Amino acid sequence: MKIKKTLSVALCVAAVASFSSQAMANPVATPASSAVTPSTNQVGQKFTLTGVQTKANTVLLGTRAVDLELDGVKDTLYLIGDANSFGDFDNVNLIVVNGKTNKVLNAGIKDFGGSNVKISYVSDFNNDHALDVMITAYSGGNKGSTNARIVSFKNEKPSIILGGDLKIKGERALFRTLEAVDMENDGVSELFGIRSIHGKTTSEVTGYEKVWFAFKDGEFKVSKTEITKEDPFKQPALGELTIGQPFALQGVKTTDKTVLIRKQVNDVNKDGAQDKIYLIGDKADELGYVSNVNLVVVDGKTNVVKDAKINGFDGYKPEIKWIGDFNGDKANDVMFTAFSGGNNGTTDAYILSFAGDKVQPLLSVKPVVDGKPAFFNTLEQVDLNKDGVYDLVGTRKIRGDAEAIILGEEKTTFTFKDGAFKVVGTETTKGDSKPVTTPATNTTSDFTVGKRFELKGIPTTAKTILLAKQKVDVTGNGVADNVLLIGNKDAANGGLITDINIVVIEGKTKKVINSNIKGFTGYQPKINFVGDFNGDKSKDVMITVYSGGNNGSTNAYVVSFKDSGVKVLLNEYVKVNGKRSLYNSMKATDVDKNGVYEIVATKTIHGEATSVIKGEETAVLAYKNGAFQVKSATVKKSK
């Protein structure tokens, strides 16, 4: 059995405490005078949002766009907390802005905090056919525990369905790890925790207990337990740490997805001994995106572990960019970077000093210009004065009204002074790029994949591009139509594409048909297939996106344009017995060889943890009675 690797430390078992597992919080109505202005704060920066009371030290810890109500419109999640002097967070709370009504929903979480605070899972825990949000925090210390809160936002009424510690036989139970797992593969998740069993003293570990909790009768109750003597927290020795392989180290908070990205040896604390430097992060998805990037240094003389404890640093191609002195203290600092993705992506960076007893961040994510975080396409080190103290140079492209218009390039130089990187100079060079013109005629040859998309009658933004195109008769009049897949590409979101939509230009009349798909978002969008799914002798358009992550799903729309109309046959998700069913892959196949296509969908069946794979389910989905339904399903067990 493959179990999550974390710290090999003991947990104290059971102390009596009480808590209320359910609480209600009233939604905060959007001011009638205007719509709620979306939060523009960066993770780690001060958080403000209309309708939410905050303090001077309230920061944004994490954010995510998820369709919680499964109503076809994505909601925006904000995880916030008050930064304290210990580097942890107090008063951690969850705020949701409903994507359809724009109401601000306050979870009303009380007395929750710690380190490594994050949105851990978004899943249906209470079987109400809506997604709940699970947040976690680490209590700290060698005997620390992972604590969780779970909130339902069904019908815009926040309800805390896990509001305190879990209980076993009425007693408080603390766990080193807490995960969400779908044991029955029915779309409803349970909680899975692991803790140590002690002997007469806390230093004596006699075994380990695995416990599963299911939500029933208004609270999480034990559904299964298992005792094992095999250490699930066992970790490899330092010499066994290999790039790309799972990373576990005493004193460092990790998950089953944490891998070693880069390692290097350098003296970063001025004691003459070579220290071990590890850049780690949660395993990249198939797009190469790495989350929770962090830096760990093991002192070469004392073997003491210094964990930077960075939260929410994500991106592509994370690298240890440079090791050198940035603040003039004669000790080497460590600079590491991550790229946001896309043609216009930005480079973010951390620069850390390990010279003292504590890890000191010299730069956190972005340099500041005129009091605001500045976005740069590249960040490089340079020794301007040739004195061995390095400065920072950020380069960014200057754009016109549209992203395709390049007016020039701006280079800004920063030097570390008075505790921060400050601007010492800016240099601008002009470019010669010309604006992209709107096509004069409505043919696919007028539009270029990957380029800015504009078409009269179709609402677009400066970020709208053409994702894919095909020429095929989808209206059923015998003349090939122009099928265009469009979406908004934002450099700050990496490879994520938002507001994906299908536009058809009729080949016969040149009429523009807008499918008006709303809130469809994901990675690697494409026109998956064009063929007849509903048996009306007209070809329908199937588009797909990938949700991202190691266990990501493929979501799809199938749209009919027969007789120049618009009919949605599949709206992003397939529902089985009223519940959303997610699949890792979806492929159009004419199973019956009758000219009408089905969707063959596959999904991995997980065990007690997401790392445990028990098999694979293949389902044939056929359009019947106005919806795609499971026609047949087979399960293949893993060996």
Side-chain angles (χ1 to χ4, degrees), residues 370-639:
D370 296 330
K372 298 179 181 179
F375 293 77
F376 292 98
N377 301 114
T378 62
L379 286 170
E380 305 283 345
Q381 75 290 338
V382 60
D383 185 358
L384 290 177
N385 299 323
K386 308 298 182 184
D387 58 358
V389 179
Y390 286 84
D391 307 285
L392 193 65
V393 176
T395 304
R396 61 183 169 191
K397 295 177 182 177
I398 304 172
R399 302 186 181 279
D401 295 333
E403 289 190 7
I405 303 175
I406 307 297
L407 301 178
E409 186 178 76
E410 182 180 85
K411 287 188 176 181
T412 304
T413 304
F414 301 83
T415 191
F416 192 81
K417 186 178 180 182
D418 300 327
F421 279 92
K422 298 184 178 180
V423 177
V424 294
T426 300
E427 177 184 347
T428 303
T429 57
K430 293 183 178 181
D432 57 359
S433 295
K434 297 179 180 180
V436 177
T437 57
T438 302
T441 59
N442 293 336
T443 65
T444 54
S445 61
D446 294 319
F447 303 98
T448 304
V449 173
K451 298 296 184 180
R452 174 87 166 84
F453 178 86
E454 291 181 286
L455 184 62
K456 187 177 180 179
I458 302 297
T460 60
T461 71
K463 299 176 181 178
T464 306
I465 64 171
L466 180 65
L467 303 169
K469 63 180 180 179
Q470 281 192 29
K471 195 162 186 176
V472 60
D473 177 19
V474 294
T475 55
N477 60 13
V479 180
D481 309 301
N482 297 311
V483 181
L484 309 173
L485 185 65
I486 64 174
N488 292 337
K489 184 176 183 180
D490 189 343
N493 288 332
L496 185 69
I497 306 295
T498 61
D499 298 320
I500 298 167
N501 191 21
I502 308 171
V503 175
V504 171
I505 303 173
E506 243 192 84
K508 193 172 187 177
T509 65
K510 306 304 177 187
K511 175 184 176 181
V512 177
I513 306 170
N514 185 357
S515 66
N516 279 311
I517 295 173
K518 303 294 184 182
F520 195 41
T521 298
Y523 298 91
Q524 297 178 316
K526 62 182 178 181
I527 300 174
N528 187 294
F529 185 77
V530 179
D532 183 9
F533 286 93
N534 60 353
D536 64 356
K537 309 300 182 184
S538 181
K539 293 181 178 179
D540 313 307
V541 181
M542 175 182 176
I543 62 172
T544 56
V545 297
Y546 180 65
S547 68
N550 292 330
N551 301 314
S553 61
T554 295
N555 305 322
Y557 263 84
V558 179
V559 183
S560 168
F561 294 92
K562 186 179 180 180
D563 299 328
S564 302
V566 176
K567 181 180 180 181
V568 178
L569 307 182
L570 175 60
N571 182 348
E572 192 162 359
Y573 307 115
V574 177
K575 287 190 176 181
V576 179
N577 297 326
K579 299 179 184 179
R580 183 180 67 165
S581 187
L582 299 178
Y583 297 95
N584 302 115
S585 67
M586 303 181 80
K587 182 179 179 181
T589 306
D590 184 0
V591 176
D592 302 326
K593 307 297 181 184
N594 60 357
V596 179
Y597 286 82
E598 290 80 24
I599 297 176
V600 176
T602 61
K603 63 180 175 182
T604 302
I605 302 172
H606 295 281
E608 61 188 18
T610 54
S611 59
V612 179
I613 297 176
K614 300 179 71 175
E616 183 180 76
E617 177 183 334
T618 300
V620 176
L621 312 173
Y623 189 79
K624 185 179 180 182
N625 299 327
F628 275 90
Q629 302 176 10
V630 177
K631 183 177 181 180
S632 64
T634 57
V635 175
K636 181 180 180 182
K637 294 183 178 180
S638 297
K639 296 180 179 180

Side-chain angles (χ1 to χ4, degrees), residues 88-147:
D88 296 339
F89 299 94
D90 303 319
N91 302 316
V92 173
N93 195 18
L94 190 64
I95 306 295
V96 170
V97 178
N98 186 285
K100 181 171 285 187
T101 66
N102 211 30
K103 283 185 179 179
V104 176
L105 310 176
N106 190 329
I109 297 171
K110 304 293 184 182
D111 301 322
F112 188 65
S115 63
N116 197 28
V117 182
K118 60 184 176 181
I119 300 172
S120 293
Y121 297 94
V122 178
S123 183
D124 184 4
F125 288 91
N126 58 356
N127 197 18
D128 64 353
H129 311 305
L131 300 182
D132 313 308
V133 184
M134 174 178 169
I135 64 174
T136 57
Y138 182 61
S139 66
N142 289 333
K143 296 180 180 179
S145 61
T146 296
N147 305 313

Side-chain angles (χ1 to χ4, degrees), residues 160-198:
I160 303 176
I161 60 177
L162 177 62
D165 297 316
L166 296 161
K167 289 184 178 181
I168 298 178
K169 295 181 180 180
E171 295 186 338
R172 180 189 186 203
L174 299 179
F175 295 91
R176 186 59 180 162
T177 64
L178 277 176
E179 292 187 68
V181 295
D182 185 356
M183 291 292 294
E184 299 179 3
N185 292 291
D186 59 356
V188 180
S189 291
E190 293 81 30
L191 280 176
F192 171 63
I194 304 177
R195 63 178 183 171
S196 302
I197 301 173
H198 299 279

